[in-house]
Amino acid sequence: MVDTTASATAAGPGLEAEETAALRESVRRVCADLWPDATHAAHGDLAALWLAAGRQGWTGLGAPELFPAALAVQEELGRLAAPFPATDVALVADVVETLGEVGLSAGIAAATVRPVIAHATLEAPGGVVARHVEAASAATHLLVVDEAGGRLGWFALEGAEVSELPGLPVPAWSAIRPAGGPAWTVPLAEHPSLLRLRRLGLAARAAAAVGRTHELALEHAKRREQFGRPIGAFQAVSHRLVDTEIGLTAARELLAHALELRAAGDTAWQLAAEVYIEFAAERLPGLQFGAHHTLAATGYFEESEGPWLFRRVHADLAALSAVGRDAGVGEHLIDRRLPLPQHDRGPSARRVRDEVLEAFAPWTSGPPSHLHTWDDAARAVLRDRGWIGVGWPREAGGGGWPVGDVLAFSEALAYANPPLGNILMGINSIAPVAIRVGSPALRELVLNEVRKGDLSIALGYSEPGAGSDLASLRTRADRVDGGWLVNGQKMWGTCFPDSRWVLLAARTDPDATPPQAGITLFLVDADAPGITASPHTSLAGDVSATTFWDDVFVPDDRVVGEVGAGWAALTEALAAERVLIGASVMRAHRAFERLVDLVSSDPASVLPARRPELRREIGRIAVRLQAARALVNRGVRALTSGEGARVEAPMAKIAATELAEDLNAAAIGLLGPDALYEWGVDGAAGDGSFEDGLRASIMGVIAGGTGDIQRNLVARALGLQERSRR
């Protein structure tokens, strides 16, 4: 299972990753006695927990560089529905430290001073009244944020009137009327990150609570049986859990990115944080509901953790919605013209990205690229600059580039989207398989042809009765002298008319158990005698073919890997193909930037009825785009590091391809009929990119296994579904 216990919080310069992990473990250990699970929200001793936090040093994290550590504490406590406000304490400590209040700083660190943050008006006629105050029962001091007045005010709670406000939050929120005026006030402007970081802390705690509920739902789905099998074996249940897994993984990656940028001193962290916060606000309620739907009655009654986690999530999201922000993601992009934050992988990766974009600049303003069209000059750029196989190992004649540079290269190439045809399938999918499992002679043959930069390879996987379920394929390969005779039918051979080779999956042992054990891969000449093709033109304009194989001879030296071991090589090739398909997220990024530029520079291009919701819609798409990019990055990292991408690849493909559908449909919805004309038509909104992207988006979801199949793969990795037996 992908880790859902806490976000991948970056340690930052103040705390190493190992120290952050140890901090998380200390929270779990201490809470095992004081607040062992979420059911203790009803009666847990928050004051005792706060004092333990002081002894453990969780209240001494006020330095800005230690904020990620406070966030880690907050997340661990979110899993327990414990309202100790770790990030608020850190933010207050930073304010106090800035003022030079040494005694207060020491008291906060020792937990003898226990501050909470609330939002209220400092100059209210009847005196300050702060509502929605969390953890008031254990607090000694109050920092009031007066957003309208632009001030922070500090109050001692001795003699204050504190009234509980029963409702969904448990422990209950309170209303506080301090006994007197503030001991001091400071301008809010002196702490410009305070509100954003407070919102980040609330979102992260809510996400952690959803993560714990998801863990409970996964356990329940494996254990609870209905109709003779675990409920997790039912596709509706497993897909709901997979969507939650994807959402929580994306949330962790987005948070880690924001913290990484902040630690690097990059001001883009502010927009990255807003992306994460908007993602959390939009997605977490549905993910929490989904987990409860799986838990059903088991998670509905208060002896279980579910109800208390539910309260935690929705309390934090309500508090989050009440904290002010200077602008939403859509406003940042349209009104302030800020670019979406990039993943900075260092000087070398930046150089690679710039070089790729510069090299392919002549094609960026041309018509949309397709698999069936190419420009030999564009292919020559890839070949002549030595960019074919940059991620292959050096000993195989590849570039041996570090992962960060490979990621930058892949992203920049997908963003530029030059007219290369179908050659990337050979470079990124087939060549790595040949390197890993091919014989020396086959490996040399494949790499020599791929290096020429003009080799298109078709895939011979799908059949009438075996699409995404390749273990069911029936095409036979029977051994004869010197090789094999292939008989059968293959469907949807992408770019078959333009391809010189076909990577064919055929059954060489019909009696093998399990059935995938009898599959072998072959590299076949597309013009071999006995192959006939019936071409099909897709919605996107690309040409595929149904092929019929009648006693097609394939020599022994064209077997890819071991006989009967094709399934493992095929799985690796499919993972690479899925990440390659997922990399299309950068083409979506380019389309999104085109949309933002268009609606910003020409507001009249937006349909009048859609103008009021424009910024919210742009923000929504931007958040989905950044989440998809984060998952694709995760998939490429897993693939290029040699660790495999069994879960990461399908998650990346799901997110990226479903985003492309949403992005192009939303763009056309905003721009109206003018967005439906193709490139070259006078007045075509976006130069035809959105209508082309919409047509092509279907193929993205289908290719390499449909979204439903990808969800089944993730479900299997989560232990929800077993491979079917035949």
Side-chain angles (χ1 to χ4, degrees):
M1 184 185 76
V2 177
D3 177 28
T4 58
T5 59
S7 85
T9 306
L15 211 62
E16 297 296 330
E18 296 81 4
E19 293 174 305
T20 301
L23 175 62
R24 289 184 183 278
E25 179 56 34
S26 80
V27 176
R28 297 178 190 128
R29 185 177 61 253
V30 171
C31 290
D33 294 325
L34 292 172
W35 201 295
D37 62 39
T39 63
H40 283 250
H43 52 77
D45 189 339
L46 183 55
L49 181 60
W50 204 317
L51 291 172
R55 292 192 295 271
Q56 295 294 321
W58 310 343
T59 51
L61 302 172
E65 66 271 17
L66 295 179
F67 182 80
L71 197 61
V73 174
Q74 179 118 324
E75 288 173 316
E76 290 300 325
L77 293 169
R79 291 169 45 79
L80 306 174
F84 168 60
T87 53
D88 281 5
V89 171
L91 294 173
V92 174
D94 183 44
V95 172
V96 169
E97 179 69 24
T98 302
L99 286 172
E101 295 279 355
V102 178
L104 281 181
S105 294
I108 292 172
T112 55
V113 174
R114 299 185 290 276
V116 291
I117 293 178
H119 296 255
T121 302
L122 289 172
E123 302 296 333
V128 173
V129 177
R131 290 173 60 84
H132 327 308
V133 182
E134 178 179 69
S137 63
T140 63
H141 290 77
L142 178 70
L143 182 70
V144 170
V145 180
D146 184 347
E147 294 181 38
R151 305 289 294 177
L152 301 174
W154 177 255
F155 297 84
L157 293 184
E158 185 177 356
E161 180 183 327
V162 180
S163 305
E164 279 198 356
L165 302 173
L168 185 138
V170 175
W173 287 344
S174 300
I176 297 179
R177 182 187 295 274
W184 44 259
T185 66
V186 295
L188 179 58
E190 292 181 1
H191 301 277
S193 297
L194 187 145
L195 294 181
R196 181 170 285 114
L197 291 174
R198 181 158 201 259
R199 293 168 64 236
L200 204 66
L202 289 166
R205 187 167 62 186
V210 175
R212 174 55 184 160
T213 316
H214 175 55
E215 288 178 6
L216 296 171
L218 280 171
E219 295 166 4
H220 179 72
K222 296 172 188 176
R223 185 177 62 250
R224 173 68 167 167
E225 292 193 356
Q226 292 285 341
F227 307 104
R229 55 179 174 156
I231 62 172
F234 293 93
Q235 186 163 284
V237 175
S238 68
H239 283 196
R240 181 167 63 232
L241 289 164
V242 166
D243 285 340
T244 302
E245 185 80 14
I246 293 172
L248 289 171
T249 302
R252 288 194 297 276
E253 293 292 320
L254 290 173
L255 177 57
H257 185 212
L259 294 175
E260 174 187 311
L261 292 173
R262 180 175 178 268
D266 189 334
T267 57
W269 83 267
Q270 298 168 7
L271 180 52
E274 292 301 327
V275 167
Y276 168 71
I277 292 166
E278 288 196 14
F279 182 89
E282 177 71 21
R283 292 293 304 280
L284 292 183
L287 299 182
Q288 182 71 13
F289 281 126
H292 276 275
H293 295 167
T294 299
L295 288 167
T298 300
Y300 189 61
F301 294 94
E302 292 186 347
E303 62 267 24
S304 69
E305 294 180 54
W308 309 105
L309 292 164
F310 182 93
R311 291 173 180 272
R312 179 75 273 146
V313 170
H314 289 280
D316 281 341
L317 292 178
L320 172 65
S321 68
V323 181
R325 57 179 181 172
D326 57 347
V329 173
E331 285 84 4
H332 280 295
L333 298 174
I334 292 177
D335 301 323
R336 302 183 180 183
R337 303 306 300 269
L338 292 178
L340 283 172
Q342 299 295 318
H343 290 263
D344 186 4
R345 302 184 182 92
S348 178
R350 287 196 295 273
R351 175 185 53 78
V352 167
R353 179 180 183 276
D354 292 344
E355 287 181 1
V356 172
L357 294 179
E358 179 273 330
F360 290 108
W363 291 275
T364 56
S365 59
S369 296
H370 299 94
L371 292 176
H372 66 284
T373 60
W374 63 86
D375 185 332
D376 287 335
R379 287 179 166 182
V381 170
L382 205 64
R383 181 189 64 241
D384 296 346
R385 294 210 179 204
W387 287 344
I388 292 177
V390 296
W392 304 348
R394 290 187 183 275
E395 55 268 26
W401 287 13
V403 172
D405 287 7
V406 174
L407 282 170
F409 176 83
S410 300
E411 288 182 345
L413 190 63
Y415 181 90
N417 197 25
L420 298 174
N422 190 38
I423 66 172
L424 293 179
M425 180 62 70
I427 295 171
N428 294 331
S429 295
I430 310 307
V433 171
I435 290 171
R436 179 161 293 193
V437 303
S439 67
L442 182 74
R443 181 168 60 246
E444 193 62 23
L445 170 68
V446 170
L447 298 186
N448 282 341
E449 289 300 309
V450 170
R451 287 191 194 101
K452 294 177 182 178
D454 61 1
L455 178 66
S456 179
I457 299 178
L459 301 180
Y461 298 164
S462 297
E463 300 181 0
S468 299
D469 181 17
L470 291 178
S472 299
L473 63 84
R474 295 170 180 249
T475 294
R476 289 276 299 271
D478 297 307
R479 187 179 286 280
V480 295
D481 287 343
W484 304 77
L485 281 182
V486 178
N487 288 276
Q489 179 182 348
K490 292 292 180 178
M491 300 180 70
W492 323 126
T494 303
C495 297
F496 188 93
D498 301 321
S499 297
R500 297 207 307 272
W501 286 340
V502 181
L503 185 66
L504 176 76
R507 188 166 297 286
T508 51
D509 183 354
D511 301 319
T513 302
Q516 57 267 26
I519 294 174
T520 301
L521 289 184
F522 300 88
L523 192 65
V524 186
D525 294 333
D527 59 357
I531 301 177
T532 56
S534 176
H536 316 285
T537 301
S538 74
L539 177 62
D542 292 319
V543 180
S544 297
T546 295
T547 54
F548 302 90
W549 301 63
D550 299 302
D551 285 340
V552 178
F553 177 74
V554 184
D556 277 326
D557 62 4
R558 290 297 189 90
V559 174
V560 181
E562 299 292 330
V563 172
W567 182 260
L570 185 61
T571 300
E572 181 175 332
L574 283 170
E577 182 188 1
R578 287 161 187 152
V579 174
L580 184 63
I581 293 167
S584 65
V585 73
M586 291 308 296
R587 289 195 285 276
H589 193 168
R590 181 179 169 190
F592 177 72
E593 287 184 347
R594 182 171 301 188
L595 175 61
V596 172
D597 287 343
L598 183 61
V599 300
S600 300
S601 60
D602 183 16
S605 64
V606 181
L607 294 173
R610 299 297 305 277
R611 290 171 192 167
E613 59 193 88
L614 170 64
R615 286 162 179 77
R616 178 175 175 80
E617 185 71 351
I618 290 293
R620 182 188 69 81
I621 299 169
V623 169
R624 281 201 66 182
L625 173 59
Q626 289 295 88
R629 284 191 62 191
L631 290 169
V632 170
N633 285 340
R634 184 183 177 95
V636 176
R637 284 200 307 270
L639 197 65
T640 56
S641 67
E643 298 173 359
R646 191 167 58 102
V647 175
E648 293 85 356
M651 289 172 65
K653 181 182 182 295
I654 291 166
T657 57
E658 293 181 0
L659 161 73
E661 293 180 329
D662 182 22
L663 165 60
N664 288 289
I668 290 169
L670 289 170
L671 300 172
D674 282 338
L676 295 179
Y677 300 114
E678 65 183 24
W679 187 84
V681 173
D682 184 42
D687 293 328
S689 62
F690 303 121
E691 72 87 24
D692 182 85
L694 186 67
R695 289 186 287 110
S697 65
I698 296 293
M699 185 58 180
V701 173
I702 296 170
T706 67
D708 289 337
I709 297 301
Q710 304 307 310
R711 286 177 169 85
N712 287 345
L713 293 174
V714 179
R716 188 174 299 154
L718 296 176
L720 295 170
Q721 298 180 2
E722 294 184 3
R723 194 181 303 280
S724 60
R725 301 177 182 272
R726 295 182 179 85

